[in-house]
Amino acid sequence: MNKKNKELYIIAKRLNVENKELSKQVFDDAEKATLINPSNRVFIQMNTNDKRGSVFLGEDLRMSSKVAAFTIPEENITIEKGYNSLNENIEIATANELVSIINNGYEGRIVGKTGINIIISITESHEKKVKKDKAQYEQLELNLVNNNVLTEDELKERKQVLKANGIEESNPIYTEILSLIRKQNINVVKPKKVYVMSSERKEEESVLKRVLRNITLGDPVILEGAKGTGKNVCWETVAWLLNRPMEVLNCSAKMTKADMFGSPTTDNTAKEKVTLKGAKALFKALLMKKDDADAAEFLYATAGCMSPAIKLEQGPVTRALLSAEEKGTILIADELNLSDPNTFSGVFNALTDKHTKEYNINGIGVVPIPDDLIIGGTQNGTGGAYIGTKQQNDATMSRFNIIRINAPESIMPVLNNNNYDVSYDVLKTLDRIYISFAKAKKQGTVSEQALNVRGFERTVQHIMSGQSIIEAVKECVIYSCKASEEGLLITTALDQIKED
């Protein structure tokens, strides 16, 4: 069976059915049943030895009812054509192979009739698919360890983070994620903070899971959200999970192509070879009128200092393009909607256009755009509290998928994730203050600046150094908000502290 085919359609001629009238009625009923209820399926079980088969109707083979039996002698059946998922005609199995296919864990589903012909769709049974997927990811895990890509402990750590974000081994993208992990000379270091989905939003898919799905599908993706919502932490976690280096382009309104690709600079490495040892060698060679290697190197280095070479000091985009094929580099455009739309689109349109295979970099020449280059970005919401954000080119943004990250309902998962040496009661008080600020934001009495998660993280460190909760909250969170909101925020925070 062609592995690339998700589904094969088989036209079986001249079925020798034990009860032709009954079976005809069964096939008619089955066709109607699948039209009325798409979850109804026709299962065909066959015995390899005598090629006898049974037809079952139901949503699940274990819960289905046997509705007919038939035999398929090899001489009484011919197989015409099958169609793969791309609808391309292909020659397929003999009748005997058809029996073997169904007997070895594939389901037959009647999808139509043409005259005396029955059209059967052959797909993997759920049980067979689960077993195959399990064998596949177990082999990939084994390869990662045996090929010294990851140690067993490194693999275990990554699996724990994936599970915490809703990606179990049985998830379809788990195998794809394993196949994206790259071997490096020095493995990517685990970030101090890893992205973990909020416990209050277990009914939602984790942002990390959604990012990884986009990557497995080859789609560039942007994380959009307020400051402190974990956009950069998420990308750092992705880089670590996939064991790939990350190049970050820090975007701004004044960003130029030189910031992206690099700028020419003088190569002053020659002066390192202008040494006292070389000078003495040259003096001795002139005195003795004899060639000397050290003297020659000294003269060459001296000439280089007088006319230093020009080289390109590579920028993050250049480094990513040149290293992606070998290392699988991830290129992140950080705060991309701060950049000038024309500058950004002039480069990233080409990088994200899957038809463009190369890019011409001044000072280097034409370089390929590797298929393995992962491109992502971060941005704050346009307008509002974020001054300087710019609407980007529509054609450029159409190349990216966007995942919006809402401010967390609670910051306890974030605070717990940092393993602070402070009492649980202190963390709970800060969480209550944050939740009360979020409620005020919802009511429209304060701005989004009050939900400064990074500020609350700094607050914990200030408290650990001996500062009071209210003073730490003022310094790290409240005083960065609008002056008109400070009074309300201080009163709200004090109310939560008094509850202790």
Side-chain angles (χ1 to χ4, degrees):
M1 192 170 179
N2 190 334
K3 291 181 180 178
K4 292 183 179 179
N5 297 338
K6 293 182 179 178
E7 191 170 41
L8 289 176
Y9 293 93
I10 297 174
I11 301 176
K13 281 191 172 182
R14 294 189 297 280
L15 285 172
N16 181 13
V17 182
E18 288 180 348
N19 186 330
K20 292 183 180 179
E21 291 305 314
L22 172 63
S23 295
K24 181 179 182 304
Q25 184 61 47
V26 165
F27 294 143
D28 288 342
D29 292 345
E31 186 177 15
K32 292 174 185 174
T34 54
L35 288 173
I36 296 168
N37 183 359
S39 61
N40 273 337
R41 306 176 71 186
V42 178
F43 297 94
I44 300 176
Q45 282 194 328
M46 304 187 73
N47 185 301
T48 310
N49 297 324
D50 59 10
K51 302 182 182 66
R52 294 178 64 83
S54 301
V55 179
F56 296 83
L57 178 63
E59 293 188 14
D60 185 278
L61 181 58
R62 289 167 295 183
M63 303 294 291
S64 61
S65 303
K66 182 175 178 180
V67 291
F70 57 86
T71 59
I72 304 183
E74 189 170 352
E75 65 276 9
N76 287 342
I77 184 172
T78 61
I79 307 300
E80 284 191 343
K81 290 282 186 182
Y83 304 91
N84 64 12
S85 58
L86 297 177
N87 238 8
E88 297 169 343
N89 288 345
I90 53 171
E91 298 292 341
I92 57 162
T94 65
N96 194 48
E97 288 171 332
L98 168 60
V99 174
S100 177
I101 285 169
I102 296 176
N103 194 60
N104 283 284
Y106 291 86
E107 297 170 351
R109 181 166 58 93
I110 298 170
V111 295
K113 304 192 304 297
T114 57
I116 62 169
N117 302 330
I118 303 297
I119 304 175
I120 307 170
S121 167
I122 303 297
T123 56
E124 284 182 322
S125 66
H126 176 70
E127 291 78 6
K128 180 177 179 66
K129 189 174 186 309
V130 168
K131 286 180 182 178
K132 189 180 82 171
D133 289 348
K134 187 172 187 293
Q136 189 176 4
Y137 75 68
E138 285 180 345
Q139 185 60 53
L140 283 170
E141 290 178 348
L142 191 64
N143 291 345
L144 288 172
V145 174
N146 290 346
N147 295 332
N148 299 316
V149 179
L150 300 174
T151 66
E152 288 186 10
D153 288 341
E154 287 173 333
L155 178 60
K156 184 178 178 182
E157 270 190 314
R158 284 164 170 80
K159 289 180 69 172
Q160 287 172 345
V161 172
L162 289 172
K163 285 181 179 179
N165 284 277
I167 305 175
E168 302 282 347
E169 290 97 332
S170 58
N171 192 289
I173 67 170
Y174 178 71
T175 301
E176 299 293 333
I177 292 168
L178 291 181
S179 67
L180 288 171
I181 297 175
R182 295 294 292 268
K183 185 173 184 177
Q184 308 291 345
N185 292 329
I186 300 175
N187 281 355
V188 176
V189 177
K190 183 179 180 180
K192 291 181 180 179
K193 290 191 293 184
V194 296
Y195 192 91
V196 179
M197 70 184 296
S198 170
S199 58
E200 284 77 17
R201 293 182 174 174
K202 290 297 183 185
E203 72 282 358
E204 299 178 10
E205 272 198 331
S206 165
V207 170
L208 181 71
K209 181 178 179 180
R210 291 156 68 189
V211 170
L212 288 168
R213 179 187 291 114
N214 276 275
I215 290 173
T216 62
L217 295 172
D219 294 334
V221 61
I222 295 168
L223 297 181
E224 179 182 293
K227 58 186 177 183
T229 49
K231 301 185 294 293
N232 295 96
V233 171
C234 185
W235 276 118
E236 288 166 2
T237 304
V238 167
W240 168 70
L241 286 170
L242 302 182
N243 201 34
R244 293 170 177 243
M246 188 166 73
E247 289 289 347
V248 179
L249 173 66
N250 296 305
C251 300
S252 69
K254 296 182 178 180
M255 182 177 70
T256 65
K257 282 193 174 183
D259 297 314
M260 298 181 181
F261 294 106
S263 53
T265 184
T266 54
D267 183 359
N268 294 316
T269 55
K271 72 178 184 180
E272 296 172 4
K273 296 179 181 179
V274 180
T275 62
L276 179 61
K277 178 184 175 183
K280 288 180 178 179
L282 177 62
F283 180 76
K284 184 177 179 181
L286 292 172
L287 191 64
M288 304 292 293
K289 296 183 179 179
K290 186 177 179 182
D291 291 339
D292 183 273
D294 289 337
E297 184 178 49
F298 178 81
L299 282 172
Y300 183 79
T302 304
C305 290
M306 294 177 184
S307 180
I310 302 298
K311 67 174 183 177
L312 181 71
E313 189 70 40
Q314 295 177 3
V317 175
T318 301
R319 291 194 297 269
L321 287 172
L322 295 179
S323 63
E325 190 169 347
E326 178 188 355
K327 299 180 179 180
T329 307
I330 299 173
L331 173 61
I332 301 299
D334 191 31
E335 308 292 9
L336 68 87
N337 60 344
L338 292 178
S339 58
D340 174 73
N342 293 325
T343 304
F344 187 80
S345 64
V347 174
F348 278 81
N349 279 9
L351 298 184
T352 53
D353 181 358
K354 295 177 181 179
H355 303 294
T356 304
K357 299 299 181 184
E358 56 189 24
Y359 197 92
N360 193 349
I361 302 175
N362 290 336
I364 293 181
V366 175
V367 298
I369 300 174
D371 293 334
D372 215 14
L373 175 66
I374 295 172
I375 296 177
T378 69
Q379 67 179 23
N380 297 125
T382 55
Y386 301 103
I387 298 170
T389 56
K390 294 179 175 62
Q391 184 68 44
Q392 296 297 304
N393 183 287
D394 288 345
T396 304
M397 299 310 290
S398 69
R399 290 165 162 81
F400 288 89
N401 293 339
I402 295 179
I403 297 174
R404 287 202 170 104
I405 308 178
N406 296 319
E409 296 172 5
S410 163
I411 57 172
M412 277 303 281
V414 177
L415 299 180
N416 285 329
N417 194 29
N418 287 320
N419 297 315
Y420 290 121
D421 186 18
V422 69
S423 74
Y424 177 80
D425 288 341
V426 169
L427 297 182
K428 196 64 185 170
T429 299
L430 290 175
D431 189 45
R432 286 204 310 272
I433 293 172
Y434 174 86
I435 292 171
S436 66
F437 286 2
K439 185 178 178 181
K441 159 70 171 59
K442 220 175 251 188
Q443 293 170 345
T445 53
V446 299
S447 64
E448 197 171 38
Q449 288 171 299
L451 307 182
N452 185 350
V453 179
R454 289 196 198 108
F456 276 95
E457 289 180 280
R458 293 195 300 273
T459 299
V460 181
Q461 295 170 333
H462 279 241
I463 292 168
M464 288 168 60
S465 70
Q467 195 171 22
S468 68
I469 293 178
I470 187 60
E471 291 304 322
V473 172
K474 284 179 185 178
E475 278 186 27
C476 301
V477 180
I478 294 175
Y479 289 160
S480 65
C481 299
K482 296 176 182 176
S484 59
E485 299 172 358
E486 289 179 6
L488 175 60
L489 290 171
I490 292 171
T491 302
T492 303
L494 285 171
D495 287 343
Q496 299 304 319
I497 294 170
K498 286 175 185 176
E499 287 190 19
D500 293 334

